[in-house]
Amino acid sequence: MPRNRSIVLLSVGHACVDVYQGAVASLVPFFVAERAYTYAAASGIVLAASLLSSVAQPVFGALTDRRAVPWLLPVSTVLGGLGVALSGLSGSYPLTLLFVAVSGIGVAAYHPESARVARLAGRGSHSAMGWFSFGGNVGFAVAPLMVATVVATGGLRLTPLLVAPALVGSVLCLPVLRALEKTAAAGPGAAAVKGTDDKVSFVKLSLAVVCRSIVFVGLSTFISLYARQRTGGGTTAGTAALFVLYLGGAAGTVLGSRLANRWDRVTVVRMSYLITVGAVAGTIFVPGPSIYLFIALTSVGLYVPFSLQVTLAQDYLPSRVGTASGVTLGLTVSAGGLAGPLIGSIADAASLRTALAPLILMPALSWLLYRGMPEPATPNHLGGPTPATRLDDQSSEGLPYERRLARKINL
C-alpha cells in the first residue's frame, strides 16, 4: 500500500477515536443543563476519562515495546465509542463516570500502538506523523458539532448514536494492518534508528507537555460555558467556541510539521509556546466576540508542538519508542485532567475568569523548559534494512519495534 494512502487511512481512523476525547468535554454543558451538575461535578466527568486514559497509555506503550499488538487498534476504537455512547443513558453520576472511564481506556489502548504503526507506515517522516496527528485534531473539532447535532435534538438519551464513528474507524485501520503484514511477508521492512536515550531532555519535554495539557484540558472543559458568559450568547455561542478551539488545533498540527521542515523542532515548539502566552491572556480577558480570535490563536499555539513533541519524545528515547509515545500522549495529559476539578472548584467559589486566569502561566513554563534543550538527531526515514537487523534472521530478538511489528502482525 502506498505510504500516503496508509497515512490517510490512519489519520481518518485517528479522527474516529479522538472524536470521543472531544465528545466528553462537549457533553459537559448538556450534563449541567439536564442533570444540574455543578462545575466541579462536570469537570469530574472529564477527569474520569482523561485520568484513566492518561495513566493507562504508558502501560500500553510499555506493552507494545515488548510485543506487537495490532488488534488493539480496531478493538480500542470500538471501546472508546461504546463508553461515550452509554454515558447519557443513566442519570446515575457513578455510572456516568464508569462509562466515560471505559471510553478513556479505549483511547489509552489506541494511541501508543497507532503512533508506532504511523511511524512505520510513514517511514519516520515528520510530515507523515503530522498528518496522522491532524486526524486526531479533526476528530476533536468535529466532536462538539456531532454532540450538538445528536444530543441537542433529543437529549442525552440519544448518546448511543455517537458510537457510529467508532464502527467506521475500526474498519478503516484493517487495510493498513493487512498491508504491513504483506510487507513483512515480502521481506524488506523498516528499520528503527538506534541511539542513546536522552532521559533528561525527555523528562523536561514531558513536564512541558504537562503544562500544555493543563491549559488545553482546562479550556476544553470550560470554554463553552465561558464563551456564553463573555458574549451573552446561548448554546450556539458555546459550541462555536469549542469548535474553534478544536479546529485551530488541526490547523496548528499541520503548520507545526511544515515549520519543522524549515527550522528545527525545538525552536518551533519554543516559539509557539511563547506566542501562546499572549493568546491565552486574550482569551480570558478580552470581552465580546473577539474572544473567538484569541481562542483560535491559543489553539494553534498549543497544537503546533503536538506532533513535534511525539517525534521528539521518540527520538529522545529511541530504545523505547512505545513508552515515549505512551508518556507523551498519555501520562502527561493526566495533569490537565487533575487540574480540572480544581479549576471547577475555584469557579464555583469565585468566577470562571478567576479560575481560568492562572492558565496564562502554563505555556510560559513550557517555554522555559524548552530553553537549552537539544535537537535530537533526525532519524532516517525507516525505509531500508540495516545489516544488524536483517528480516531474514530467524529470530525477532533484538529487532527494533517497527521490524518486529512488520514481522508479527497477524489479524
Side-chain angles (χ1 to χ4, degrees):
M1 180 182 293
R3 184 180 74 175
N4 288 349
R5 185 183 173 194
S6 296
I7 292 300
V8 168
L9 290 175
L10 289 172
S11 181
V12 176
H14 194 186
C16 291
V17 172
D18 277 7
V19 73
Y20 296 110
Q21 293 198 76
V24 174
S26 302
L27 285 168
V28 165
F30 297 98
F31 285 128
V32 171
E34 288 194 27
R35 301 178 181 175
Y37 288 164
T38 63
Y39 288 139
S43 61
I45 294 174
V46 179
L47 174 63
S50 62
L51 180 60
L52 188 57
S53 173
S54 302
V55 172
Q57 282 193 48
V59 176
F60 284 107
L63 173 65
T64 58
D65 275 333
R66 289 180 170 273
R67 58 178 301 178
V69 281
W71 54 264
L72 272 180
L73 269 65
V75 172
S76 61
T77 301
V78 172
L79 192 63
L82 190 62
V84 167
L86 296 175
S87 66
L89 294 184
S90 173
S92 167
Y93 187 71
L95 279 178
T96 301
L97 294 179
L98 174 63
F99 289 138
V100 298
V102 168
S103 178
I105 292 176
V107 171
Y110 175 84
H111 279 100
E113 185 74 355
S114 65
R116 291 296 198 83
V117 173
R119 181 178 171 93
L120 173 61
R123 305 186 186 106
S125 165
H126 299 325
S127 296
M129 184 63 74
W131 283 108
F132 169 72
S133 300
F134 171 79
N137 303 147
V138 170
F140 265 107
V142 170
L145 299 180
M146 179 184 72
V147 170
T149 300
V150 173
V151 180
T153 57
L156 291 171
R157 63 184 180 84
L158 294 183
T159 55
L161 297 177
L162 299 178
V163 77
L167 301 179
V168 174
S170 64
V171 173
L172 289 177
C173 67
L174 299 180
V176 179
L177 299 181
R178 291 189 183 117
L180 293 178
E181 181 184 7
K182 291 179 181 179
T183 300
V193 177
K194 292 185 178 181
T196 303
D197 290 344
D198 185 350
K199 296 180 181 179
V200 173
S201 294
F202 177 74
V203 170
K204 292 173 68 176
L205 180 148
S206 299
L207 292 174
V209 179
V210 166
C211 295
R212 174 204 173 275
S213 73
I214 292 174
V215 180
F216 183 75
V217 175
L219 289 178
S220 64
T221 303
F222 295 108
I223 195 62
S224 60
L225 297 170
Y226 190 62
R228 290 165 66 174
Q229 291 181 6
R230 301 294 284 176
T231 63
T235 303
T236 301
T239 300
L242 199 58
F243 176 71
V244 170
L245 180 68
Y246 292 160
L247 186 63
T253 299
V254 175
L255 177 62
S257 63
R258 290 182 178 272
L259 292 176
N261 290 328
R262 179 168 296 187
W263 296 285
D264 66 87
R265 290 169 289 177
V266 172
T267 298
V268 172
V269 171
R270 188 171 64 242
M271 295 308 297
S272 177
Y273 280 132
L274 186 60
I275 293 171
T276 304
V277 175
V280 175
T283 298
I284 295 171
F285 291 110
V286 174
S290 298
I291 189 176
Y292 293 104
L293 171 62
F294 287 102
I295 292 172
L297 292 175
T298 297
S299 181
V300 172
L302 289 174
Y303 269 96
V304 162
F306 187 76
S307 67
L308 303 182
Q309 288 177 149
V310 175
T311 60
L312 280 169
Q314 292 172 338
D315 293 342
Y316 283 139
L317 288 183
S319 68
R320 289 175 287 176
V321 175
T323 300
S325 301
V327 170
T328 308
L329 294 171
L331 182 61
T332 49
V333 180
S334 66
L338 288 171
L342 176 60
I343 296 172
S345 297
I346 296 173
D348 287 331
S351 68
L352 263 179
R353 186 169 74 172
T354 301
L356 295 175
L359 298 182
I360 300 171
L361 298 176
M362 295 297 104
L365 291 176
S366 294
W367 174 76
L368 287 173
L369 286 165
Y370 266 93
R371 294 195 66 185
M373 284 177 59
E375 173 72 18
T378 302
N380 296 330
H381 287 288
L382 307 175
T386 61
T389 56
R390 293 174 55 87
L391 269 181
D392 54 2
D393 291 341
Q394 294 299 312
S395 172
S396 296
E397 191 70 28
L399 288 178
Y401 170 86
E402 287 82 0
R403 304 296 290 279
R404 288 186 283 111
L405 175 62
R407 171 174 286 187
K408 294 181 180 180
I409 282 179
N410 183 17
L411 293 178

